Amino acid sequence: MVVATQSLEELCINSIRFLAVDAINKSNSGHPGLPMGAAPMGFVLWDKFMRYNPKNPQWFNRDRFVLSAGHGSMLQYALLYLMGYDSVSIEDIKQFRQWGAKTPGHPENFETPGVEVTTGPLGQGIANGVGLALAEAHLAATYNKPDATIVDHYTYVILGDGCNMEGISGEAASIAGHWGLGKLIALYDDNHISIDGSTDVAFTEDVSKRFESYGWHVLHVKDGNTDLAAIAKAIEEAKAVTDKPTMIKVTTTIGYGSPNKADTAGVHGAALGAEETALTRESLGWSYGPFEVPDDVLKHTRKAVERGASYEAEWNQAFAQYKAKYAAEAAEFERLLSGKLPDGWDQVLPTYTPEDKALPTRKHSENCLNKLAAVLPELIGGSADLTHSNLTEIKSSGDFQKGHYENRNIHFGVREHAMGAICNGMALHKSGLIPYGATFLIFTDYMRAAIRLSALSEAGSIWVMTHDSIGQGEDGPTHQPIETIASLRAIPNLTVIRPADGTETSGAYKVAIENSKANKPSLLAFTRQNVPNLAGASIEGVSKGAYVLVDSQGTPDLILIGTGSEVSLCVAAAEKLTAEGKKVRVVSMPSWDLFEAQTADYKESVLPKAVTKRLSVEAACSFGWHKYVGTEGDTVSIDTFGASAPGGTCMEKFGFTVDNVLAKAKALLG
Amino acid sequence: MVVATQSLEELCINSIRFLAVDAINKSNSGHPGLPMGAAPMGFVLWDKFMRYNPKNPQWFNRDRFVLSAGHGSMLQYALLYLMGYDSVSIEDIKQFRQWGAKTPGHPENFETPGVEVTTGPLGQGIANGVGLALAEAHLAATYNKPDATIVDHYTYVILGDGCNMEGISGEAASIAGHWGLGKLIALYDDNHISIDGSTDVAFTEDVSKRFESYGWHVLHVKDGNTDLAAIAKAIEEAKAVTDKPTMIKVTTTIGYGSPNKADTAGVHGAALGAEETALTRESLGWSYGPFEVPDDVLKHTRKAVERGASYEAEWNQAFAQYKAKYAAEAAEFERLLSGKLPDGWDQVLPTYTPEDKALPTRKHSENCLNKLAAVLPELIGGSADLTHSNLTEIKSSGDFQKGHYENRNIHFGVREHAMGAICNGMALHKSGLIPYGATFLIFTDYMRAAIRLSALSEAGSIWVMTHDSIGQGEDGPTHQPIETIASLRAIPNLTVIRPADGTETSGAYKVAIENSKANKPSLLAFTRQNVPNLAGASIEGVSKGAYVLVDSQGTPDLILIGTGSEVSLCVAAAEKLTAEGKKVRVVSMPSWDLFEAQTADYKESVLPKAVTKRLSVEAACSFGWHKYVGTEGDTVSIDTFGASAPGGTCMEKFGFTVDNVLAKAKALLG
């Protein structure tokens, strides 16, 4: 028996390797190479360093683990299974990548307890990791006391060459270095192979030097395949440096153990196959059958269950002591963890009347954020270098910076994509934080992958997007959204709201905050320019997505449907048409998806099928509007790129005027 | 007169500064700080180093200039005016950022001759610059001869802190370093101020060290405000290093010369105002009035016109000699520059019958690319590390690598965003190259800003996107497009095509190649999985966007509208319905925007208004389809995220089956 010559640690590591190989062979789909090479670092991390409780994966003070190289998902599933999580059984592993299994192709937090974030799109995970570490740093600075520590955990990330090629990882690493997040430890699986073959074909930079340039503490484990002591030593050294994040470059061999495929792209994204698997078993001295894990291994790895229970018990005790001394802080902290909002929180949201001053909705947004910040200490966020354009500063707080982690204003720099993933990481820290990230609406294009992942992975991020149309003005077509709002409305599970005035802005925030606590992201689109406050605008109306703002006597001849800054054009046009004896209804429609969620009766009451003369008015493309205006309706819209000129000029030249709305309305009325 | 104490060079530089200050004051909108600080480097570059012909801005062998920090557009407009371009007059400068002016808020190549690419969205310009330098390297390696050089120019980029914070710039710099593009010279305007204030708030990395880690040659000019000799010396040193791109960090003061606003964010994005402008004039010893440029300055700078004419004349002579010796190469090169396609090029595109083997459209795409590559030497591109999944390799060529710039297969690495901007740069080199970039369709989210800019800036890039639906399968919802195709269709000026089979794939390439020569981008969406070849599919049909594939006898009771892999479901369902005595038409609709461009008569002939029972079938979200199915129609679509399972299982579970199409069709027929 060759097995007898293996140490217990080697048995554990080979168990991980062959669970991956066997599962991927069975499904004939997946990426065995990474788990085979990264099994040692994964094992050392989960066996020797990480604190977690397998029987309570959501225990608050656990270390967070992110597999940024998400295609290596079998590494994580093998670890979850070995360490005793209930979420992944051996049957689940046998069902790898099959319909309904808890072991999808890439790690998905919403499918598999023990998975913290959803990875696969490369680079997202390391940026989520920055968000997780930021959340820890912020909560620690906010709630820990000199004599009582209740927030204290590490965030570990395994990332690969692919992650390191993506721009988002560079953005995230740069800002993490700036912040000096000492409890962030990234293990870079340096296996020199990506899908196209050797990284020599496209990736020859000095990654370690680059991380040093960001201000990271950088280490190198030269033999990540077998030198477990070196991996452990590096992690210890990483933990010893508390004022910088650490990147440990761990040089490994992809597909380690496979005689013919190791160190080739052939083992990156395809099953080993029966023959090569047999050779690999021989080469690694592994006599166990498919999906077989030696008893000694499980006996050892499942100690994590007991260990985890004691970690949690210790923490519970620490928290009880904290609570005895710091009742108010403990109550607030418990509320955060509960996911609940404080009673009456939404009473701070203002409403307006037409007599109130016309302001840009971004200004109303600033007001809402500041009023909410006073009652919701969990509100934390900032802008990608447009703080004073987006108007996202919480004036009662300072800047989140190294040494000032208790502050709530985050300067993300001009790094929209990392901002998105960092916010998602904060949300998925599951500690009750409500993160928000802001930029110009057009630059959602830079962070779209992170916005999509907020929707997919059920992260309650709030996206605060200003300068939401050609009303942006002089910056010109590169900065003016046209198709942007449509492209965002199309994303499943994302609530998009474009409020018309001050009251509707309050309504938008009411939905967004509640959504966040329900693990759902929201995207709010605000104007750069002034908009009047409208009679009839309501917070409740926003929650329904669309509502009748101005109605006619009896069945309308025509329905004008507006959103955001164009609702006031509809109101003005309706007044004129009514004066001319027409029966015109105005529907304010800040959110399509909230409207779609209403009952059929409600929808019919707002947009009766019988009224087919409908005109939408929105300073954006017509794409999608035919669902609401129908085949007999029309749109006031812009289906070309914008232009550089003052915002009012753009609006006028592109037809967003009362006269043009009137003209199109009259054409419909015949 | 203080002016008397200024050197001619200082007069020139201050002319740039005050043209910017005055224009921005007049429009009360813009970014004066960057032009004020970067005027010396801009001047040195355009006066001493750059080769161009102001009277023929499109002269082929000009040096390319990119203002990646596009908000400093007045720097470029001032230079164009001073150097004698016809595109920017003093009147244009007075109309800065006004409707219809040639001086929009950010540089736009399609508005202003002399501007090479459209910048503003930060980081795009430096990545475009990599594409411009790649184009030069490729053409030089392809057409230059040991005794005859016809391609030989530099690409200069000015970028700022914002560009350097964006992930896309890191991606582009990494691959440029890998390729060793020695004629790419980037001047980094290190002014330590971004919109949120000092870069200390979010950007404290060591940029120079980072560029060194990418393999760049890095220099530093410590006083970019006044030390013109140091700037010139650095550029000379940059040119002397031919195997690496050079980054020159030029430390400047934003708003140089403004006593109260220099070195503050106050001068980043707002006009100086009358008072501070007066103080700045005083401080810089500038006694000229608004928009006034000293005669000596113009006399000097306009020497560029004569210089440019002689550059072009020399090149014409060199080209004439080349042509005499290398007639075939010269003819091909001239055809490239002419923007024309060779006669009969499209005859290589294959068509298929139902008897031909079912293949994935990505496989047909590979075949088209290879057939086209044989007749179109200008076809050049590659994948973001998915070459053998996207199937984008040109088999008759090798890899584009350092020392092998003549090759046409580009390995972009896992850098989708930079790939997009690099392709745009190649297209906007305006030398006839047809660049293509490939990844999974879902990862257009990573490069959306570049795709949008291809459409806005009229870059003829071809986006080859595979794995175009939940048919992607096991990788799961992070990799499965749902809303993606809709979000792309919404972009103005982008042709999106999702072909149904082999013949339609040929049709897609025919459009994409012709589009490219007409400066229009196309995005092609291909399947991972097999699709049958359809009777009636046609190349001409694709060019019309939608066409009748299967028709009924007489007016149809129902129209089934399919795209891509779902057209065959429509055909199968129509057969069954016809057998049951229903009159059913099948419309294949590979491209919405091509269809929209047809005459009203044609559109009516395909989708007659009178036929209101319509069912769309597409393995994507329903968003937008109501325009074609109307209020009485329905969709077979997926409006949730996908799942990890084999592709066929996903298709079946989410209802993309003949049975489900039949059921929905029958429900419509009543």
Side-chain angles (χ1 to χ4, degrees):
Chain A
M1 274 299 274
V2 189
V3 174
T5 68
Q6 298 194 5
S7 71
L8 180 60
E9 283 176 331
E10 286 169 320
L11 287 175
C12 291
I13 289 166
N14 282 329
S15 295
I16 295 170
R17 289 188 174 123
F18 284 99
L19 282 173
V21 166
D22 295 336
I24 293 164
N25 277 340
K26 184 160 188 290
S27 76
N28 196 25
S29 170
H31 299 73
L34 189 139
M36 292 168 79
M41 72 179 97
F43 173 70
V44 169
L45 207 51
W46 285 67
D47 187 58
K48 293 209 180 351
F49 289 93
M50 272 177 48
R51 292 180 306 177
Y52 51 92
N53 184 357
K55 297 305 176 196
N56 182 11
Q58 292 292 313
W59 166 51
F60 164 73
N61 202 41
R62 69 194 180 277
D63 288 337
R64 266 57 169 186
F65 173 80
V66 175
L67 184 64
S68 190
H71 50 283
S73 58
M74 264 311 304
L75 172 65
Q76 189 157 8
Y77 301 141
L79 285 164
L80 292 171
Y81 167 64
L82 292 181
M83 300 302 164
Y85 283 73
D86 297 326
S87 49
V88 177
S89 67
I90 196 76
E91 282 311 310
D92 290 311
I93 289 176
K94 289 178 184 170
Q95 291 299 308
F96 182 56
R97 292 186 157 217
Q98 302 307 305
W99 184 265
K102 288 290 157 194
T103 47
H106 293 82
E108 295 168 358
N109 59 296
F110 52 94
E111 288 288 355
T112 317
V115 171
E116 304 287 356
V117 300
T118 295
T119 55
L122 293 170
Q124 298 287 334
I126 177 68
N128 293 157
V130 174
L132 292 166
L134 187 163
E136 195 272 350
H138 174 68
L139 293 168
T142 306
Y143 293 102
N144 288 348
K145 302 288 178 180
D147 63 346
T149 296
I150 55 167
V151 183
D152 177 22
H153 72 77
Y154 287 87
T155 298
Y156 296 100
V157 180
I158 292 181
L159 73 166
D161 290 304
C163 294
N164 269 329
M165 286 190 250
E166 290 285 5
I168 183 177
S169 68
E171 292 178 10
S174 177
I175 192 70
H178 171 80
W179 288 329
L181 295 171
K183 285 172 157 177
L184 174 63
I185 299 175
L187 293 96
Y188 161 36
D189 179 42
D190 167 43
N191 66 29
H192 10 280
I193 295 289
S194 63
I195 294 177
D196 272 10
S198 164
T199 50
D200 287 352
V201 304
F203 189 53
T204 49
E205 62 170 62
D206 182 340
V207 177
S208 293
K209 185 171 179 175
R210 176 155 65 85
F211 273 77
E212 281 170 11
S213 80
Y214 297 137
W216 285 52
H217 173 223
V218 176
L219 299 168
H220 186 195
V221 173
K222 287 180 185 162
D223 172 11
N225 298 320
T226 63
D227 194 346
L228 308 188
I231 295 171
K233 182 163 169 282
I235 297 172
E236 269 159 22
E237 284 178 34
K239 292 175 71 170
V241 172
T242 59
D243 63 343
K244 291 178 174 186
T246 295
M247 193 276 273
I248 307 172
K249 173 168 146 175
V250 185
T251 299
T252 67
T253 303
I254 194 169
Y256 180 81
S258 161
N260 299 302
K261 295 191 176 175
D263 207 23
T264 74
V267 75
H268 188 291
L272 272 193
E275 194 176 338
E276 186 67 13
T277 299
L279 294 173
T280 306
R281 280 186 144 76
E282 201 175 315
S283 133
L284 290 175
W286 193 251
S287 57
Y288 297 95
F291 302 103
E292 194 181 346
V293 174
D295 291 344
D296 285 356
V297 167
L298 284 177
K299 196 175 152 196
H300 174 75
T301 56
R302 296 272 163 97
K303 286 179 188 163
V305 173
E306 199 180 330
R307 215 160 56 218
S310 70
Y311 288 141
E312 181 165 350
E314 278 167 35
W315 186 81
N316 287 340
Q317 197 174 4
F319 188 75
Q321 286 169 0
Y322 178 91
K323 195 170 175 177
K325 277 194 181 173
Y326 306 104
E329 290 91 331
E332 187 175 281
F333 188 79
E334 284 184 314
R335 179 183 67 76
L336 288 198
L337 294 196
S338 78
K340 287 184 185 148
L341 287 160
D343 289 342
W345 67 277
D346 55 344
Q347 297 305 308
V348 301
L349 292 168
T351 57
Y352 299 86
T353 68
E355 288 67 46
D356 289 310
K357 193 178 169 189
L359 291 172
T361 51
R362 64 175 167 147
K363 188 74 190 164
H364 289 298
S365 164
E366 178 184 46
N367 192 23
C368 286
L369 276 173
N370 276 278
K371 289 194 180 295
L372 289 168
V375 293
L376 299 175
E378 63 263 52
L379 192 63
I380 175 171
S383 161
D385 197 46
L386 289 168
T387 303
H388 304 293
S389 296
N390 300 142
L391 302 177
T392 45
E393 192 180 32
I394 297 175
K395 291 173 184 174
S396 60
S397 184
D399 288 350
F400 178 93
Q401 295 286 2
K402 195 169 179 171
H404 299 281
Y405 294 144
E406 71 284 5
N407 288 331
R408 297 199 267 160
N409 290 305
I410 303 176
H411 289 281
F412 291 100
V414 193
R415 303 183 183 97
E416 296 84 4
H417 204 174
M419 173 174 74
I422 290 169
C423 285
N424 292 343
M426 283 193 270
L428 295 174
H429 194 254
K430 296 285 181 192
S431 46
L433 295 179
I434 302 178
Y436 64 92
T439 182
F440 288 165
L441 180 61
I442 189 71
F443 296 131
T444 54
D445 281 359
Y446 272 65
M447 55 185 291
R448 187 171 168 89
I451 293 173
R452 183 182 210 257
L453 274 166
S454 71
L456 174 60
S457 68
E458 301 172 7
S461 305
I462 300 178
W463 311 117
V464 178
M465 297 296 156
T466 72
H467 298 60
D468 72 346
S469 76
I470 50 168
Q472 204 276 357
E474 291 90 345
D475 279 340
T478 54
H479 285 56
Q480 294 169 349
I482 299 293
E483 75 289 4
T484 318
I485 197 101
S487 79
L488 294 162
R489 283 176 180 145
I491 298 177
N493 199 41
L494 176 69
T495 300
V496 176
I497 312 180
R498 186 169 186 253
D501 72 351
T503 301
E504 286 199 2
T505 300
S506 290
Y509 272 99
K510 183 164 195 296
V511 170
I513 297 289
E514 288 169 347
N515 269 357
S516 180
K517 294 293 179 180
N519 304 320
K520 187 171 176 173
S522 307
L523 186 141
L524 315 182
F526 298 116
T527 67
R528 178 192 187 197
Q529 73 276 20
N530 284 346
V531 292
N533 289 294
L534 302 171
S538 85
I539 289 177
E540 194 202 349
V542 173
S543 72
K544 294 185 172 174
Y547 61 107
V548 178
L549 191 74
V550 176
D551 211 356
S552 56
Q553 297 284 342
T555 305
D557 304 321
L558 171 77
I559 303 178
L560 298 174
I561 314 174
T563 85
S565 41
E566 287 69 67
V567 177
S568 65
L569 295 180
C570 295
V571 172
E575 270 175 25
K576 294 205 176 187
L577 290 165
T578 304
E580 292 172 22
K582 307 293 184 189
K583 290 190 283 182
V584 178
R585 169 181 289 189
V586 175
V587 168
S588 178
M589 193 169 193
S591 175
W592 292 16
D593 53 296
L594 290 174
F595 183 63
E596 288 301 324
Q598 304 307 309
T599 62
D601 282 355
Y602 179 77
K603 288 194 263 189
E604 172 66 20
S605 77
V606 176
L607 296 176
K609 283 198 182 63
V611 185
T612 58
K613 293 181 194 304
R614 301 175 181 186
L615 181 64
S616 69
V617 187
E618 184 176 60
C621 70
S622 62
F623 199 93
W625 269 111
H626 295 84
K627 182 169 187 176
Y628 300 112
V629 301
T631 40
E632 292 176 50
D634 199 357
T635 67
V636 177
S637 53
I638 169 170
D639 287 322
T640 63
F641 290 110
S644 175
T649 305
C650 287
M651 284 294 200
E652 189 192 319
K653 296 281 187 183
F654 287 111
F656 298 96
T657 61
V658 174
D659 282 350
N660 192 41
V661 173
L662 277 175
K664 286 215 167 189
K666 286 179 181 174
L668 279 180
L669 287 167
Chain B
M1 273 296 275
V2 190
V3 174
T5 68
Q6 298 193 6
S7 71
L8 181 58
E9 283 177 331
E10 285 169 322
L11 286 175
C12 292
I13 290 166
N14 282 329
S15 294
I16 295 169
R17 289 188 174 122
F18 284 99
L19 282 173
V21 166
D22 295 336
I24 293 164
N25 277 341
K26 183 159 189 290
S27 77
N28 196 25
S29 171
H31 299 73
L34 189 139
M36 293 167 78
M41 70 178 99
F43 174 71
V44 170
L45 207 52
W46 284 67
D47 187 58
K48 292 210 180 350
F49 289 94
M50 271 177 47
R51 292 181 307 177
Y52 51 91
N53 183 357
K55 297 304 176 196
N56 182 11
Q58 291 293 311
W59 166 52
F60 164 74
N61 203 40
R62 70 194 179 277
D63 288 336
R64 266 57 170 186
F65 174 79
V66 175
L67 184 64
S68 189
H71 51 282
S73 58
M74 265 310 304
L75 172 65
Q76 189 157 8
Y77 301 141
L79 285 164
L80 291 172
Y81 167 63
L82 292 181
M83 300 303 164
Y85 282 73
D86 297 326
S87 49
V88 177
S89 67
I90 197 76
E91 283 310 311
D92 291 310
I93 289 176
K94 288 178 184 170
Q95 290 299 307
F96 182 57
R97 292 185 156 218
Q98 302 307 305
W99 184 265
K102 289 290 157 194
T103 47
H106 294 81
E108 295 168 359
N109 59 295
F110 52 94
E111 287 289 354
T112 317
V115 171
E116 304 286 356
V117 300
T118 295
T119 55
L122 292 170
Q124 298 287 335
I126 176 68
N128 294 156
V130 174
L132 292 166
L134 187 164
E136 194 273 348
H138 174 68
L139 293 168
T142 306
Y143 293 102
N144 288 348
K145 302 286 178 183
D147 62 347
T149 296
I150 57 167
V151 184
D152 177 21
H153 71 76
Y154 287 86
T155 298
Y156 295 100
V157 180
I158 292 181
L159 73 166
D161 290 305
C163 294
N164 271 329
M165 285 190 250
E166 290 285 5
I168 182 176
S169 68
E171 292 178 9
S174 177
I175 192 70
H178 171 79
W179 288 329
L181 295 171
K183 285 171 158 176
L184 174 62
I185 299 176
L187 293 96
Y188 161 35
D189 179 42
D190 167 42
N191 67 29
H192 11 278
I193 294 289
S194 63
I195 295 177
D196 273 11
S198 165
T199 50
D200 287 351
V201 303
F203 189 52
T204 49
E205 62 171 62
D206 182 341
V207 177
S208 294
K209 185 171 179 175
R210 175 155 66 86
F211 274 76
E212 282 171 10
S213 80
Y214 297 137
W216 285 52
H217 172 224
V218 176
L219 300 168
H220 186 195
V221 173
K222 287 181 186 163
D223 171 12
N225 297 322
T226 63
D227 193 347
L228 307 187
I231 294 171
K233 182 163 171 282
I235 297 172
E236 269 160 22
E237 284 178 34
K239 292 175 72 169
V241 172
T242 60
D243 63 343
K244 290 179 175 186
T246 294
M247 193 277 272
I248 308 171
K249 174 167 144 174
V250 186
T251 299
T252 67
T253 303
I254 194 168
Y256 179 81
S258 161
N260 300 302
K261 295 191 175 175
D263 206 22
T264 74
V267 76
H268 188 293
L272 272 193
E275 193 176 338
E276 186 68 12
T277 299
L279 294 173
T280 306
R281 280 186 144 76
E282 199 175 315
S283 133
L284 290 175
W286 194 251
S287 57
Y288 296 96
F291 302 103
E292 194 180 347
V293 174
D295 290 343
D296 285 355
V297 167
L298 283 177
K299 195 175 156 197
H300 174 75
T301 56
R302 297 269 163 99
K303 286 179 189 164
V305 172
E306 198 178 329
R307 215 159 57 218
S310 70
Y311 288 141
E312 181 164 350
E314 278 167 37
W315 185 81
N316 287 340
Q317 197 174 3
F319 188 74
Q321 287 170 358
Y322 178 92
K323 196 171 174 176
K325 278 192 181 176
Y326 306 104
E329 291 90 332
E332 187 175 281
F333 188 79
E334 284 184 314
R335 179 184 67 74
L336 288 199
L337 293 195
S338 77
K340 286 185 185 149
L341 287 160
D343 289 342
W345 67 277
D346 55 344
Q347 297 305 309
V348 301
L349 292 168
T351 56
Y352 300 85
T353 68
E355 288 68 43
D356 289 310
K357 192 178 168 188
L359 291 172
T361 52
R362 65 175 166 147
K363 188 73 190 165
H364 289 298
S365 164
E366 179 185 45
N367 192 23
C368 286
L369 277 172
N370 276 277
K371 289 194 181 294
L372 289 168
V375 293
L376 299 177
E378 62 264 50
L379 193 62
I380 176 172
S383 161
D385 196 47
L386 289 169
T387 303
H388 304 294
S389 297
N390 301 142
L391 302 177
T392 44
E393 193 181 31
I394 297 175
K395 290 172 184 174
S396 60
S397 184
D399 288 350
F400 178 94
Q401 293 288 1
K402 194 168 178 170
H404 299 282
Y405 295 144
E406 71 284 6
N407 288 331
R408 299 199 266 160
N409 290 305
I410 304 177
H411 289 281
F412 291 100
V414 193
R415 303 183 183 96
E416 297 84 4
H417 203 174
M419 172 174 74
I422 290 169
C423 285
N424 292 343
M426 283 193 270
L428 295 174
H429 194 253
K430 295 286 181 190
S431 47
L433 294 178
I434 303 178
Y436 64 93
T439 183
F440 288 165
L441 180 60
I442 190 71
F443 297 131
T444 55
D445 281 358
Y446 271 66
M447 56 186 291
R448 189 172 167 89
I451 293 174
R452 183 183 211 257
L453 274 166
S454 71
L456 174 60
S457 67
E458 301 172 7
S461 305
I462 300 178
W463 311 118
V464 178
M465 298 296 156
T466 72
H467 297 62
D468 72 346
S469 75
I470 50 168
Q472 203 275 358
E474 292 90 345
D475 279 341
T478 54
H479 285 55
Q480 294 169 348
I482 299 294
E483 75 289 3
T484 317
I485 198 100
S487 79
L488 293 162
R489 284 177 180 145
I491 297 177
N493 198 40
L494 176 69
T495 299
V496 176
I497 312 181
R498 186 170 186 253
D501 71 353
T503 301
E504 285 199 3
T505 299
S506 290
Y509 272 100
K510 184 164 194 295
V511 170
I513 296 289
E514 287 169 347
N515 268 358
S516 180
K517 293 292 179 181
N519 304 320
K520 188 172 175 172
S522 307
L523 186 141
L524 315 182
F526 298 116
T527 67
R528 177 192 186 198
Q529 73 275 20
N530 284 345
V531 293
N533 289 294
L534 302 170
S538 85
I539 289 178
E540 194 201 350
V542 173
S543 73
K544 295 186 172 172
Y547 61 107
V548 178
L549 191 73
V550 177
D551 211 356
S552 57
Q553 298 284 341
T555 305
D557 303 320
L558 171 76
I559 302 178
L560 298 174
I561 314 173
T563 85
S565 42
E566 287 69 68
V567 178
S568 65
L569 296 180
C570 296
V571 171
E575 269 175 26
K576 293 204 177 187
L577 290 165
T578 304
E580 292 172 22
K582 306 294 184 190
K583 290 191 282 183
V584 179
R585 169 180 289 190
V586 176
V587 169
S588 178
M589 192 169 194
S591 175
W592 291 17
D593 53 295
L594 290 174
F595 183 63
E596 288 300 325
Q598 305 307 309
T599 62
D601 281 355
Y602 180 76
K603 289 194 262 189
E604 173 65 19
S605 77
V606 176
L607 296 176
K609 282 197 182 65
V611 184
T612 58
K613 293 179 195 306
R614 303 175 179 186
L615 181 64
S616 67
V617 187
E618 184 176 59
C621 70
S622 61
F623 198 94
W625 270 109
H626 295 85
K627 181 169 188 175
Y628 301 111
V629 300
T631 41
E632 292 176 50
D634 199 357
T635 66
V636 177
S637 53
I638 169 169
D639 287 321
T640 63
F641 291 109
S644 174
T649 305
C650 286
M651 284 295 199
E652 189 192 319
K653 296 282 187 183
F654 287 111
F656 298 96
T657 61
V658 175
D659 282 351
N660 192 40
V661 173
L662 277 175
K664 286 215 167 188
K666 286 178 180 175
L668 278 180
L669 288 167

